[in-house]
């Protein structure tokens, strides 16, 4: 008997711990699940340096894992989009888009947000401490601030909010919280809120949800509210109530359904309640992982199972409405969905639930109730209850009863008077439920259209309730073309859709539609039609066709021809401008055509096109000629390169725009440009000179300034030369250009320009220009002055002006041009021996502040005429000029004249001491010293005093200067005069000084200069000899430090001789330099005993001297320091004695550590007893207790532990245990009741029974493991099993426990232990799996029983490996099937067919396999092993296999007859290989009836080959089939010949009629006449009436005497001909009337109207230039567009 299938399927999309998510992060606070798409985990890593991160897992694609270093209080993902919402500091909310990395919203609330979640695609619900808000964060129509919904009630205070739900329109809300109940358990509180009533109602419940349900007979959905509650008494219920009742719907009775709670569910409560809306099933998930399925309408319990062994903390409904997604504490994300194939059979096993199964099957379209529906339908039909039968058929699952047969039966039912037919009631039921199928739609549409109620069809079509097809569109077209268009579109009938769009005038939508469906009509004919109907739309449509992204859909030349043939030049121009915008080379002829067309008829348009420079591939020579003829000279010049034509047109400058002419010359060659300019000047120099100058200016660099100058000089136009050069001189660097411009400007009298160029230009030859200006004898010498001034030709200028006696010009130069050149002018005048009076007068006329005195003094001084300047300098001072150069000059004059220079140098502060001092060095060093000392010119002063042995003055200056850098310089070892200077410093400068700061600087300089001997001499002179510095502590310290470094022999004397030094600093310095005895003497002298003993211990390293010193001093501090030193020297006993004498227990930690390691337990006990008198420290008491243990003083240890103490007893016990003092450890652990460690200790003492009792009290995994190992080792299996049961409930301990038993060979005991553990409350998957694996190894006969009982709780992959290793094939296949490994199950059945194959089971398995190759392998297996069952297998695999491959497979093995039923079944797919194989088989079997059906219904085969084989067949039926094949493939002659051969004249006549060829018909007609078959002759006249020419009929009839047989044909033909002539006559008269009216209208209309031909549009009624009455001479093609 097949195993019963449960109606639930559980999958695990991901295990969070496999994604490096810490178990501590898998909790309700850190892990959020808003929908079935994203899981969001906030993870705080345990490592200090690792930052927090937020992990987002996409459940739809588990490889898509996003990790971001985001730190927040809470994080939730959007329902479907990559948008994360973050909460920080309890109130601040932010939204980010993870893809665009954009912040979408931010908001800070006034209250702490306790709970939040997404309630829709755009809205976040926020639950604060007082109220509930909705925040429309992604709704652009609402402001981005939360809106308050309602206030929280009192019963939810101090509750943990776990959920908030709303219905679809947010008119109802429910807030859910939980809290601990005083009597135990979890109490659930809810607040139900109605937005319409603005009222809240408190409820008791743990989980709630909203949903809707369509009740039978209702016109709209009923809104429901469902919630689950488990009271503290253990009673659990589900409540389902209706909210917002609609009066039009039947009332929904309130449901109160008790929930069955499993025995192991104590403490469990409902965590989530959801509605699988696809099936109308209510799903309840509990905290312990139980899932309950209930019918939503009745509340009936359908199914209960446990889906998670671990605690579940969050649930959510999946988007498909087929199940729920949960996460448990282990990190498993479990997706539980309802199995559609198992739900209805499972429910129907309970007869009481048959009606529920019946309704659920209809709601969800579920299999399993088809037989029930069919039986009920038949019963109702037999009973005459047709209305109910129609309802049953309409609501049948998957519509399996909605067939044409059902409609026929309902149509045949007689209708009752005054009532609608049963068929229409049936359609009404279907329309209420959803969409009709094709047959139903057509059946309903026909009477609706007949009744003129097309609006109903339109309404149903918009609602998606009709199946749109071509037939439905054809029905709608006569009534509403727009409706037909919508139907054609939805039915994907492109030909008729395009026709409808064209008829409606929606030309702009045609191309868009054709692209969307991949359809390509005949665009040429379509365009011609559109142009006739709407020319403007035709132009747009043509552009869209030509510019199609995938390439032009129509020939551009053809479009242009169409436009031109209708005289639509404007539209043709617009079209070509649009389509030729890419400017491609292959479009050159079209560009030429466009320009030629407009140059001939609309030159302005052609000019605009050329001006836009859109095209570059047209015939430029042709266009240039047309432009010149049209008067467009600019365009003609642009398009020609003929020099003669250019020079012919270029001289007409009055007709050429100036700006264009300038730009045009940039396109010509240099030679052609010069020739053109020459032609312009030659033609009309007055008219063209200005243009030539402008062109020359712009292209001077290209044409060359020299060649332009030559051209202008050739035509003797000085004015032109001036203006040309004036435009380029400012940018030219050619000296000739600048010189020519100066010449031209001088010639035309533009002296201002001459002066400007001379002043500003840097490129002319100054010598050449100077000579030109001197020779030009200008009335104004300013240009010459500028040149000479700029290029330092002052001397030449002065000589020139002096010779010309132009003293006024010299004065102008120094006053106006450059007063700074006055010194050079004075020097020049002195050189020509000018009169001093003139020179003084010239100096007096110049502003003193503008004259560089230094240069003036240098010029005069170099000529030994310095005194000449004394009056000028004194006058300058008197005028208030304070320039330093004036004072320098005066100082030099006073020094040379010996006019009391010392006074001037000392009192005056304005001169430059460096300059004056340098001037005095050779004349008088003392004056130089005065100047240098005044200006603190240190280096110069030191050099002059060294050179002149002035060391005393230098020493006094250095001491007074007090500059450390100067001291460092003079005391450098490189100074050869250092000794002489030091002697003067010690003997003269320092004794004379009374400033301590300056002396200190000198002392530091000696220190820096590393001169200890000289420094000691200096300090002794200051300190030891009576002076003001004798008692200075700093100097005494310095003296002692210096002696310590350089002369240690003097140190002891200084120690006893001096009193004002700092002992701490000096002693420390002595220690640093190794003078330990001196340091000891200093400490001893100043009674620093601790420091003294530290020197003895740390530096002199004499513990004995230190101990003697301690005996001498006898203070606690000294004894403590000595004790520490003894302890460091491992003199433990002496150290402890010293600590006791000092009474100092402060260093107890180190004493305990060293004493313990050295084994001085007895001495240590003394110290610790002393320490306990003043201390109560844990290490002291702990060490004392352990010393008792090590010395085996167990009674004292027990007394100590009973007394008051602060010892760490556990640590002492651990240490005693580690060192093997188990009796002492037992005392320790017993005193603190540490059962875990006591149990371990008892194991070592071999007291196993007591160890087990202690382990039970301890309840620790480690203890259980140790006790178990000991019991197993001693074969105490009863006690070992007790311990093992407490271990195996922990999955991580199970593997090691198994290995322990198996290593020792205790297999049965292991199985017994595992079986005993299955009944435990905490039994987990690992236990069931381990037991199964053990059974496969040691008791294989029990494996299948174990699997059948516990397969849902076993780790199937591990069990599969175990069964493979044990060769347990039935069990292996059982596991594959239950693990949905259908591929492996099928392979295993085939590989182990003898043990594991069974046909029905294999067929059920193979149909679920996903690997296609397995199907073909199975076919091969059946071919070899079970050929009789092959057809059954093929029938099951037909939807999944490639039938062509199957045919090839059996052709290769020559077994096609075995699969004939399969071939007949799949022939409807019309596959070539299937058709060929089946046809071959039918020919072989001579089954001509089936073969005829095959070739008529299917066309995918080699027709000619088959026909040639059949025409040679012995049976006439096969030859008839061959004739039909030839006819079907339009081989008319061959088909007719074959029919004539077998005298099948009816087939021949039908073939001729179908051919539509006159010659074929006439040949057959003559054949019948020839053989005398008059019946066939008459039949031909009837069947081929439209294909036979009347003259042929008359000829044959006359020749062969068949007039009687021909007469009916002739009578009908003449009647038809007469009717046609009458119709043509009538049409001709109407046409003539229209033409007359049109002619009169044209005569009354102006020829051109009020607009230009270019813009007036197409010319009406233009004659067609081609045949067929078409503009392009092409006959219209059939396109399917009706109404064209």
């Amino acid at each position: 008997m097949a195993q019963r299938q449960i109606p639930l399927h559980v999958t695990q999309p991901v295990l969070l711990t496999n994604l490096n998510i810490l178990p501590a992060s898998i909790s309700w606070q850190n892990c959020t699940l808003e929908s079935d798409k994203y899981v969001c985990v906030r993870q705080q890593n345990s490592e200090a340096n690792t930052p927090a991160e937020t992990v987002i897992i996409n459940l739809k694609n588990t490889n898509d894992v996003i990790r971001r270093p985001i730190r927040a209080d809470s994080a939730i993902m959007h329902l479907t989009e990559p948008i994360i919402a973050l909460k920080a500091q309890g109130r601040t909310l932010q939204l980010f888009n993870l893809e665009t990395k954009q912040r979408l919203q931010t908001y800070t609330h006034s209250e702490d947000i306790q709970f939040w979640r997404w309630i829709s695609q755009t809205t976040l619900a926020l639950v604060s401490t007082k109220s509930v808000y909705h925040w429309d964060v992604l709704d652009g129509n609402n402001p981005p601030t939360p809106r308050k919904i309602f206030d929280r009630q009192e019963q939810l205070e101090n509750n943990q909010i776990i959920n908030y739900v709303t219905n679809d329109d947010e008119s109802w809300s429910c807030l859910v919280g939980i809290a601990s109940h005083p009597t135990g358990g979890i109490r659930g509180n809810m607040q139900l809120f109605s937005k319409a009533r603005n009222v809240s109602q408190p409820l008791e419940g743990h989980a709630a949800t909203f949903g809707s349900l369509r009740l039978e007979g209702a016109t709209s959905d009923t809104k429901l509210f469902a919630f689950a509650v488990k009271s503290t008494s253990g009673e659990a219920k589900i409540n389902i109530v209706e909210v917002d009742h609609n009066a039009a719907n039947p009332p929904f009775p309130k449901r109160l359904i008790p929930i069955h709670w499993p025995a192991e569910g104590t403490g469990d409560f409902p965590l989530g309640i959801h509605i699988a809306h696809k099936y109308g099933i209510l799903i309840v998930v509990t905290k312990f992982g139980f899932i309950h399925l209930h019918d939503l309408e009745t509340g009936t319990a359908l199914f209960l199972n446990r889906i998670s062994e671990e605690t579940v903390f969050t649930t959510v409904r999946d988007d498909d409405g087929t199940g729920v997604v949960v996460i448990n504490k282990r990190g498993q994300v479990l997706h539980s969905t309802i199995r559609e194939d198992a739900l209805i059979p499972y429910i129907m096993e309970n007869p009481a639930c048959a009606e529920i199964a019946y309704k659920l099957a209809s709601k969800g379209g579920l299999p399993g109730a088809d037989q029930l529906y069919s039986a009920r339908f038949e019963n109702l039909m037999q009973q005459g209850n047709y209305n109910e039968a129609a309802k049953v058929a309409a609501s049948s699952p998957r519509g399996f009863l909605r067939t044409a047969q059902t409609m026929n039966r309902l149509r045949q039912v007689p209708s009752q008077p005054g009532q609608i037919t049963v068929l229409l009631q049936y359609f009404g039921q279907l329309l209420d439920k959803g969409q009709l199928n094709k047959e139903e739609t057509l059946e309903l549409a026909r009477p609706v259209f007949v009744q003129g109620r097309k609006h109903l069809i339109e309404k149903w079509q918009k609602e998606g309730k009709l199946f749109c097809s071509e037939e439905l569109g054809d029905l709608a077209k006569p009534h509403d073309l727009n409706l037909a268009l919508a139907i054609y579109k939805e039915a994907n009938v492109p030909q008729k859709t395009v026709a409808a769009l064209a008829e409606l005038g929606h030309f702009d939508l045609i191309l868009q539609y054709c692209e969307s469906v991949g359809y390509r009509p005949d665009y040429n004919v379509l365009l011609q039609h559109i142009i006739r109907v709407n020319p403007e739309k035709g132009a747009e449509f043509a552009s869209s066709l030509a510019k199609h992204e995938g390439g032009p859909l129509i020939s551009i030349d053809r479009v242009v021809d169409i436009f031109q043939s209708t005289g639509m030049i404007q539209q043709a121009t617009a079209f070509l401008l649009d389509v030729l915008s890419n400017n491609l080379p292959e479009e050159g002829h079209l560009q030429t055509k466009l320009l030629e067309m407009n140059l001939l008829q609309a030159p302005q348009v052609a000019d605009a096109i050329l001006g836009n420079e859109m095209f570059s591939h047209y015939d430029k020579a042709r266009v240039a000629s047309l432009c010149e003829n049209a008067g467009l000279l600019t365009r003609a010049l642009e398009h020609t390169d003929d020099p003669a034509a250019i020079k012919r047109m270029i001289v007409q400058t009055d007709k050429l725009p100036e700006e264009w002419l300038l730009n045009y010359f940039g396109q010509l060659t240099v030679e052609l440009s010069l020739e053109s300019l020459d032609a312009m000047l030659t033609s009309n120099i007055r008219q063209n000179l200005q243009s030539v100058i402008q062109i020359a200016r712009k292209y001077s660099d290209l044409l060359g300034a020299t060649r332009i100058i030559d051209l202008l000089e050739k035509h003797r136009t000085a004015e032109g030369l001036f203006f040309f050069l004036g435009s380029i001189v400012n940018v030219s660097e050619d000296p000739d250009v600048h010189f020519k411009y100066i010449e031209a400007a001088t010639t035309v009298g533009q002296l201002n320009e001459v002066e400007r160029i001379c002043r500003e230009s840097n490129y002319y030859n100054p010598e050449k220009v100077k000579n030109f200006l001197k020779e030009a004898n200008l009335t104004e010498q300013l240009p010459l002055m500028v040149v000479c001034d700029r290029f330092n030709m002052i001397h030449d200028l002065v000589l020139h002006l002096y010779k010309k006696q132009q003293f006024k010009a010299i004065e102008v130069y120094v006053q106006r041009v450059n007063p700074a050149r006055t010194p050079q002018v004075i020097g020049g005048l002195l050189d020509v021996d000018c009169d001093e009076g003139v020179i003084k007068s010239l100096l007096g006329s110049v502003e003193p502040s503008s004259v560089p005195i230094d240069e003036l003094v240098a010029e005069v001084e170099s000529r030994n005429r310095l005194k000449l300047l004394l009056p000028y300098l004194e006058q300058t001072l008197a005028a208030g000029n304070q320039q330093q150069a004036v004072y320098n000059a005066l100082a030099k004059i006073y020094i040379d004249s010996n006019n009391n220079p010392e006074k001037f140098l000392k009192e005056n502060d304005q001169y430059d001491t460096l300059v004056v001092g340098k001037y005095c060095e050779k004349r008088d060093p003392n004056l130089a010293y005065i100047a240098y000392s005044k200006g603190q010119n240190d280096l110069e002063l030191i050099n002059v005093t060294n050179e002149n042995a002035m060391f005393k003055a230098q020493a006094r200056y250095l001491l007074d200067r007090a500059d450390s850098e100067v001291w460092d310089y003079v005391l450098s070892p490189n100074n050869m005069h250092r000794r002489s200077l030091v002697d003067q410093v010690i003997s003269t400068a320092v004794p004379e000084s009374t400033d301590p700061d300056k002396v200190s600087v000198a002392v530091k300089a000696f220190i820096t200069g590393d001169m200890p001997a000289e420094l000691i001499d200096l300090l002794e002179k200051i300190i030891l000899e009576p002076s003001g510095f004798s008692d200075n502590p700093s100097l005494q310290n310095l003296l002692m430090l210096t002696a310590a470094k350089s002369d240690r022999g003097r140190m002891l004397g200084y120690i006893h001789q001096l009193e004002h030094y700092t002992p701490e600093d000096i002693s420390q310095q002595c220690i640093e330099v190794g003078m330990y005895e001196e340091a000891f003497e200093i400490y001893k002298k100043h009674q620093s005993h601790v420091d003294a003993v530290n020197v003895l211990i740390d530096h002199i390293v004499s513990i004995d001297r230190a101990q003697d010193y301690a005996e001498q001093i006898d203070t606690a501090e000294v004894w403590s320091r000595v004790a520490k030193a003894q302890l460091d020297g491992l003199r433990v006993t002496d150290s402890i004695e010293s600590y006791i004498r000092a009474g100092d227990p402060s260093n107890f930690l180190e004493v305990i550590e060293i004493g313990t390691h050295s084994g001085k337990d007895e001495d240590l006990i003394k110290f610790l007893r002393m320490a306990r008198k003043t201390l109560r420290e844990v290490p002291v008491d702990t060490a004392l207790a352990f010393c008792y243990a090590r010395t085996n003083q167990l009674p004292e240890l027990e007394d100590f532990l009973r007394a008051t103490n602060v010892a760490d007893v556990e640590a002492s016990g651990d240490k005693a245990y580690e060192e093997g003092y188990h009796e002492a450890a037992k005392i320790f652990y017993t005193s603190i009741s540490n059962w875990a460690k006591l149990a371990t200790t008892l194991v070592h003492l071999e007291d196993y029974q007591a160890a087990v009792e202690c382990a039970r009290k301890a309840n620790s995994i480690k203890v259980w493991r140790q006790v178990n190992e000991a019991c197993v080792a001693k074969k105490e299996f009863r006690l070992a099993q007790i311990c093992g049961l407490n271990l195996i409930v922990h999955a991580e301990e199970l593997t090691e426990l198994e290995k322990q038993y198996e290593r020792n060979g205790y297999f049965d005991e292991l199985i017994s232990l595992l079986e005993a553990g299955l009944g435990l409350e905490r039994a987990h998957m690992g236990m069931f799996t381990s037991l199964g694996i053990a059974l496969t190894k040691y008791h294989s006969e029990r494996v299948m029983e174990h699997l059948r009982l516990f397969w849902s709780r076993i780790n199937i992959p591990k069990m599969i490996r175990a069964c493979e290793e044990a060769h347990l094939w039935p069990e292996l296949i059982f596991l594959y099937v239950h693990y949905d490994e259908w591929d492996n199950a099928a392979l295993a059945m085939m590989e182990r067919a003898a043990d594991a194959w069974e046909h029905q089971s294999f067929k059920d398995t193979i149909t679920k396999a996903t690997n296609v190759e397995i199907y073909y392998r199975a076919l091969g297996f059946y071919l070899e092993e079970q050929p009789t069952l092959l057809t059954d297998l093929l029938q099951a695999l037909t939807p999944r296999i490639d039938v062509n491959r199957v045919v090839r497979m059996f052709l290769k093995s020559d077994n096609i007859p075995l699969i004939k039923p399969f071939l007949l079944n799949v022939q409807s797919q019309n596959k070539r290989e299937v058709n060929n194989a089946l046809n071959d088989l039918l020919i072989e079997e001579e089954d001509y009836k089936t073969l005829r059906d095959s070739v008529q219904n299917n066309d995918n085969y080699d027709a000619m080959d088959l026909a040639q084989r059949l025409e040679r067949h012995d049976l006439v039926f096969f030859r008839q089939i061959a004739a039909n094949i030839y006819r079907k493939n339009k081989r008319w002659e061959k088909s007719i010949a074959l029919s004539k051969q077998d005298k099948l004249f009816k087939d021949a006549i039908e073939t001729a009629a179908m051919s539509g060829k006159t010659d074929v018909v006439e040949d057959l007609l003559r054949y019948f006449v020839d053989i005398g078959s008059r019946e066939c002759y008459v039949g031909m006249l009837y069947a081929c009436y439209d294909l036979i020419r009347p003259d042929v009929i008359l000829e044959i009839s006359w020749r062969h005497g068949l007039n009687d047989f021909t007469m009916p044909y002739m009578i009908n033909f003449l009647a038809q001909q007469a009717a046609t002539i009458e119709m043509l006559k009538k049409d001709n008269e109407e046409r003539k009337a229209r033409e007359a009216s049109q002619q009169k209208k044209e005569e009354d209309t102006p020829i051109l109207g009020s607009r230009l031909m270019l813009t007036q549009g197409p010319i009406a009624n233009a004659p067609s230039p081609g045949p067929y009455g078409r503009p392009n001479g092409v006959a219209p093609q059939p396109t399917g567009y009706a109404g064209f």
Side-chain angles (χ1 to χ4, degrees), residues 1636-1648:
S1637 175
Q1638 182 67 26
Q1639 181 68 25
K1640 184 176 184 304
K1641 183 178 179 182
E1642 290 179 355
E1643 290 174 355
D1644 296 339
T1645 304
I1647 295 176
L1648 295 179

Side-chain angles (χ1 to χ4, degrees), residues 1323-1469:
H1324 54 81
M1325 180 180 288
M1327 295 164 57
F1328 292 92
T1329 305
S1330 296
L1331 177 57
I1333 293 173
L1335 291 174
T1336 62
K1337 294 179 181 178
Y1338 313 119
H1339 292 283
S1340 58
E1341 69 280 357
R1342 296 171 55 190
V1343 175
M1344 182 59 80
E1345 179 186 2
H1346 177 74
L1347 295 179
R1348 288 196 176 111
L1349 290 174
F1350 303 112
W1351 68 267
S1352 61
R1353 306 190 69 178
I1354 288 176
N1355 186 333
I1356 294 180
K1358 291 179 66 175
M1359 197 65 198
I1360 287 173
R1361 289 195 296 271
C1363 290
E1364 285 179 345
E1365 294 173 359
H1367 293 184
L1368 301 177
W1369 310 119
E1371 291 81 356
L1372 177 66
I1373 292 170
F1374 177 87
L1375 291 171
Y1376 277 140
V1377 169
H1378 284 78
Y1379 196 53
D1380 293 341
E1381 289 283 346
W1382 310 104
D1383 296 3
N1384 291 331
L1387 291 173
M1389 285 187 185
M1390 289 187 286
E1391 291 172 357
R1392 307 292 175 183
D1395 300 322
W1397 177 84
E1398 191 274 322
H1399 174 64
Q1400 188 60 37
S1401 175
F1402 181 80
K1403 188 171 69 170
D1404 294 340
T1405 301
I1406 193 68
T1407 55
K1408 298 176 183 178
T1410 58
N1411 187 350
V1412 180
E1413 294 300 322
I1414 297 178
Y1415 301 153
Y1416 306 109
R1417 185 171 174 182
L1419 293 177
F1421 166 75
Y1422 267 68
L1423 182 61
E1424 295 178 2
E1425 301 288 339
Q1426 301 292 335
T1428 58
L1429 298 175
L1430 186 59
T1431 302
D1432 190 21
L1433 179 65
L1434 282 169
Q1435 183 178 1
L1437 295 179
T1438 298
R1440 298 171 175 81
I1441 57 178
D1442 181 0
V1443 294
N1444 289 333
R1445 181 173 175 181
V1446 173
V1447 171
R1448 290 194 298 269
M1449 176 179 173
F1450 282 89
L1451 277 174
K1452 185 176 181 181
S1453 62
D1454 195 18
N1455 287 295
I1456 287 294
L1458 284 176
I1459 62 170
K1460 179 181 177 182
F1462 165 75
L1463 295 176
L1464 292 172
N1465 185 40
V1466 302
Q1467 193 180 16
S1468 58
Q1469 300 179 15

Side-chain angles (χ1 to χ4, degrees), residues 1077-1114:
E1077 293 295 343
E1078 287 78 358
F1080 176 70
E1081 288 296 329
I1082 292 172
Y1083 285 133
K1084 186 176 179 181
K1085 176 181 178 181
H1086 292 84
Q1087 296 185 354
S1088 296
H1089 302 301
V1090 176
D1091 293 329
V1093 79
N1094 282 336
V1095 172
L1096 292 174
I1097 293 170
D1098 296 335
H1099 302 292
I1100 300 178
V1101 192
S1102 176
I1103 297 178
D1104 294 334
R1105 283 184 63 184
Q1107 186 172 359
D1108 294 340
Y1109 188 73
E1111 293 282 356
Q1112 178 182 351
I1113 302 302
D1114 197 19

Side-chain angles (χ1 to χ4, degrees), residues 205 215 266 430 462 580 925 1000 1074 1078 1093 1123 1194 1231 1333 1361 1435:
L215 298 176
T266 304
L430 294 177
K462 290 180 180 180
L580 300 180
S1000 176
E1078 287 78 358
V1093 79
L1194 301 183
S1231 66
I1333 293 173
R1361 289 195 296 271
Q1435 183 178 1

Side-chain angles (χ1 to χ4, degrees), residues 44 74 138 281 294 372 553 603 658 750 761 833 1050 1163 1174 1363 1432 1448 1494 1531 1553:
Q44 178 66 51
S74 177
L138 300 180
I281 290 180
H294 290 255
L372 182 62
L553 300 176
E658 181 179 342
Q750 295 291 333
S761 175
D833 199 15
R1050 302 186 183 185
D1163 295 328
T1174 57
C1363 290
D1432 190 21
R1448 290 194 298 269
S1494 174
R1531 302 287 293 273

Side-chain angles (χ1 to χ4, degrees), residues 428-442:
Q429 293 285 335
L430 294 177
L431 289 172
D432 289 340
K433 292 182 177 294
Q435 185 186 32
L436 306 184
N437 59 32
K438 181 178 180 180
E439 292 78 9
E440 294 165 349
T441 301
L442 295 175

Side-chain angles (χ1 to χ4, degrees), residues 44 131 134 367 406 568 927 1209 1590:
Q44 178 66 51
S131 305
H134 287 183
T406 301
M568 299 171 62
L927 293 178
V1209 178

Side-chain angles (χ1 to χ4, degrees), residues 260-395:
H260 171 68
W261 219 258
E264 60 267 32
T266 304
D268 197 5
F269 63 88
L271 184 66
I273 182 170
H274 306 282
I275 296 176
H277 55 78
K278 182 177 180 181
Y279 312 111
I281 290 180
L282 193 68
I283 303 175
V284 180
V285 181
T286 71
K287 179 183 177 183
F288 284 4
F290 288 94
I291 187 167
H292 303 254
L293 302 186
H294 290 255
D295 176 40
L296 180 60
E297 182 175 355
T298 63
T300 304
L302 303 177
F303 179 71
L304 167 64
N305 202 351
R306 189 170 189 177
I307 60 174
S308 173
E309 296 295 329
E310 299 291 335
T311 302
V312 175
F313 62 84
T314 184
T315 69
V316 71
R317 188 194 72 185
D318 62 13
D319 288 344
D320 297 332
T322 60
V324 294
V325 180
V326 304
I327 305 178
N328 61 23
K329 292 293 290 181
R330 187 183 173 192
Q332 291 178 301
V333 180
L334 304 175
H335 187 190
S336 302
T337 56
I338 294 173
R339 294 185 58 173
E340 295 186 352
D341 59 337
L343 178 62
I344 299 303
Y346 183 88
I347 297 175
M348 292 182 65
E349 290 182 2
N350 183 1
C353 296
E355 188 65 23
I356 295 174
Y358 178 82
K359 291 184 178 180
L360 286 179
S362 176
K363 291 177 183 176
L366 302 174
D370 295 359
Q371 185 176 0
L372 182 62
Y373 270 83
S374 298
R376 182 170 297 187
F377 176 75
E378 294 296 336
N379 291 336
L380 292 172
M381 291 292 292
Q382 292 174 6
Q383 295 170 9
N385 192 352
Y386 303 116
N387 292 338
E388 291 300 321
K391 291 181 181 180
V392 170
S395 61

